Amino acid sequence: FMGMNPGPFGMSQNGVPFGDTTAVKDFLGVTGSHVKPDPEHPKRQIAGLGCKRGEVSGQRFWTLISNQCGELGPQAFFARNFVYNYCPLAFMTESGSNVTPDKLGKEERQKLVEVRYWK
């Protein structure tokens, strides 16, 4: 299953695609702490698993998967499935609004193409 990019109240908070915090903790059983990014966007601060806001697509996605798996739990799902975002980077405007990759301007896209992770 493929998503676009992290939402501000989902994967940006906990690192899990479609990462509604309640589902990540209760269904997936993820625990732990987080490290805040530097710099941190002042309007989208990272609370990790303490995030109180829901992530709508994650609520829908993980509710569907939970209902399908029943008591078998997430292990049954992940035995045959993989979940990821094709772009694991979060983009935001100065006001903190989420920007999906398809809404990036030409200059922003070009900067991403120029980044090299290996030599």
Side-chain angles (χ1 to χ4, degrees), residues 3-115:
M4 270 196 303
N5 71 312
F9 306 112
M11 187 174 170
S12 291
Q13 294 291 329
N14 55 50
V16 176
F18 301 99
D20 177 66
T21 302
T22 300
V24 168
K25 292 190 302 189
D26 296 348
F27 177 64
L28 298 176
V30 174
T31 61
S33 59
H34 67 283
V35 176
K36 289 182 172 276
D38 184 23
E40 181 176 41
H41 195 295
K43 296 195 176 182
R44 290 291 179 251
Q45 295 189 0
I46 304 301
L49 295 174
C51 181
K52 303 290 186 215
R53 301 267 315 253
E55 203 278 311
V56 177
S57 63
Q59 292 168 348
R60 292 176 183 154
F61 181 79
W62 293 115
T63 296
L64 171 70
I65 301 306
S66 176
N67 289 342
Q68 293 296 311
C69 293
E71 292 188 22
L72 296 175
Q75 296 81 2
F77 172 73
F78 286 112
R80 295 182 177 232
N81 296 280
F82 186 72
V83 181
Y84 66 102
N85 284 326
Y86 78 84
C87 181
L89 304 173
F91 305 105
M92 291 173 245
T93 64
E94 284 186 36
S95 67
S97 296
N98 188 42
V99 178
T100 57
D102 62 312
K103 302 292 188 231
L104 291 173
K106 184 177 180 179
E107 288 182 20
E108 289 88 5
R109 288 192 314 267
Q110 187 58 38
K111 288 177 187 177
L112 289 173
V113 170
E114 292 170 3
V115 173

